Amino acid sequence: MVLDGHARLAAAIAESVEPAVLELQRAAPEDEVVTGTRQAVAAYEAELARFAELRAVRGPGVPDGAGTAGPVLARRLLALRAEHRPTWAWPLPGGIEQWHRVAREHDVPGPRGDLTVPSTAAEPDRGGAGQPSTSTS
């Protein structure tokens, strides 16, 4: 997964603060870009051909069509690469407990940059695991 601003995200994790903004976007598959580009160029060429036919019938007062078809082509080509696309996500069977198990198995750092995973019990883990108890009870 590639994150734009990954350095800001890493800095926020290192400083134990929540990042201000995190946006994930799905990139367009190359075959969609190629197909979309072909379609956009074909539509552009068809529009120029339509204007050329109008010019042949109506005379030189009819524009060549580039002034209207060009910006449409540019927007379509930009949208192919930059348009927001939905990302796919499904709930993990087993819920948060399964998520924590998977994270531990793959040594995924927690929000503090460590490999500890918050306790799912009613009392949160305070980070004292392995320390001798100071309780007198």
Side-chain angles (χ1 to χ4, degrees):
M1 178 180 311
V2 176
L3 301 175
D4 180 29
H6 64 278
R8 289 186 299 272
L9 178 61
I13 291 170
E15 295 170 2
S16 299
V17 296
E18 186 173 332
V21 175
L22 176 63
E23 180 178 0
L24 301 178
Q25 291 187 19
R26 182 173 66 93
E30 192 59 31
D31 60 328
E32 279 185 32
V33 173
V34 169
T35 300
T37 300
R38 285 186 187 133
Q39 291 171 345
V41 169
Y44 173 77
E45 290 172 342
E47 189 67 359
L48 291 184
R50 186 178 74 83
F51 271 91
E53 290 174 12
L54 286 172
R55 251 181 109 111
V57 172
R58 305 268 183 201
V62 174
D64 67 2
T68 56
V72 172
L73 173 65
R75 283 191 301 274
R76 288 184 71 182
L77 293 176
L78 177 63
L80 287 170
R81 296 225 183 246
E83 188 174 67
H84 285 256
R85 296 169 170 271
T87 57
W88 298 311
W90 294 269
L92 184 65
I96 194 162
E97 291 82 13
Q98 178 64 14
W99 173 260
H100 290 308
R101 277 192 295 276
V102 170
R104 279 190 302 271
E105 289 171 9
H106 295 283
D107 294 330
V108 176
R112 295 179 307 269
D114 57 15
L115 295 177
T116 61
V117 177
S119 172
T120 57
E123 180 64 31
D125 180 6
R126 301 287 183 214
Q131 299 298 321
S133 174
T134 57
S135 172
T136 57
S137 47

